[in-house]
Amino acid sequence: MDNIFGVLFGIIAISIPLLVIGSAVFLLLKLRSSSSVSISYRIVLRVYFYIVLTISIVIISLGGLATLINVGLGEAVDPQFSYGNVYRDHSYELERIANNDQIEQDSESVLSLDEKLDLEKKSNLINGISVTLIGFLILVAHLFGRRWVETADESHDSLRKVYLIAGLSIFAVASITSLASAIPEALRYVLLEVNQGEESPGMALSISLVSLPIWAYFLLNTIRTMRSSEER
């Protein structure tokens, strides 16, 4: 299931443009029903804020926090649980050297497995912390910006609903896809005798742990917003 994450991020990459399309449709409908240019500029700004907020949440959760949780799982469980790719690459490298496919390769220059694992862990820590901080700064700045330009009535309008549905769809896909990968891989890792690096459920499980609470958040807020609109 190594390709599952390529499919996951491909679907997410499609979901975000859906938010753009939905916002554009809302904007066109709003422009037709309004003759005020100032209101139109405000709507465009709100669309921008919602798009960037969605992207920043995806970056923080699936790009930053999931990577950091994966590092933590590797420390708590076993390095192989999170870094199966390092074990596989190391095995392939040793096989090439043993088969004399790299005759000029200096064996002393080849990093040991422990060194490669340590390098991978430090690289993931740097990437996870950097991406999380960058995404958090973008999120906070645009969250305050949206609240500054948005009125109380607009917090329940169609644009807000498009944003909630987009977030709900993205994290529903992320949660379901990652769970479908994490659970079978984790069971095989625990119950079966597999070669080193053959099963590495850490990243799939990390994405699940991050995306499930956000999925629940968007679901609850979507239901709450819909009920509030019906009452109005």
Side-chain angles (χ1 to χ4, degrees), residues 82-135:
S82 296
Y83 310 122
N85 61 308
V86 177
Y87 284 88
R88 290 192 297 270
D89 293 343
H90 185 69
S91 297
Y92 295 151
E93 187 175 25
L94 293 180
E95 288 179 6
R96 287 196 300 269
I97 294 175
N99 294 331
N100 295 323
D101 291 336
Q102 295 182 347
I103 300 177
E104 298 180 357
Q105 175 72 47
D106 184 3
S107 60
E108 295 183 357
S109 65
V110 178
L111 296 177
S112 66
L113 179 59
D114 289 338
E115 290 173 331
K116 290 178 180 178
L117 289 172
D118 185 63
L119 183 62
E120 182 75 7
K121 180 180 71 174
K122 291 178 179 177
S123 177
N124 284 349
L125 280 173
I126 292 172
N127 292 338
I129 293 173
S130 300
V131 170
T132 301
L133 288 177
I134 292 171

Side-chain angles (χ1 to χ4, degrees), residues 203-222:
M203 193 61 194
L205 185 58
S206 299
I207 292 177
S208 300
L209 293 174
V210 172
S211 58
L212 278 172
I214 302 176
W215 181 17
Y217 166 81
F218 274 103
L219 179 59
L220 291 174
N221 275 273
T222 301

Side-chain angles (χ1 to χ4, degrees), residues 14-30 43 47 50-51 158-163 165-166:
I14 294 173
S15 300
I16 292 177
L18 289 179
L19 175 63
V20 179
I21 295 172
S23 301
V25 172
F26 169 82
L27 178 61
L28 289 175
L29 294 175
K30 197 73 175 178
I43 295 171
V47 169
Y50 278 118
I51 291 174
S158 298
L159 182 57
R160 170 76 173 178
K161 294 174 184 177
V162 170
Y163 161 72
I165 292 297

Side-chain angles (χ1 to χ4, degrees), residues 11-12 15 18 163-174 215 218:
I11 295 175
I12 292 174
S15 300
L18 289 179
Y163 161 72
L164 291 174
I165 292 297
L168 179 63
S169 302
I170 292 171
F171 286 98
V173 170
W215 181 17
F218 274 103

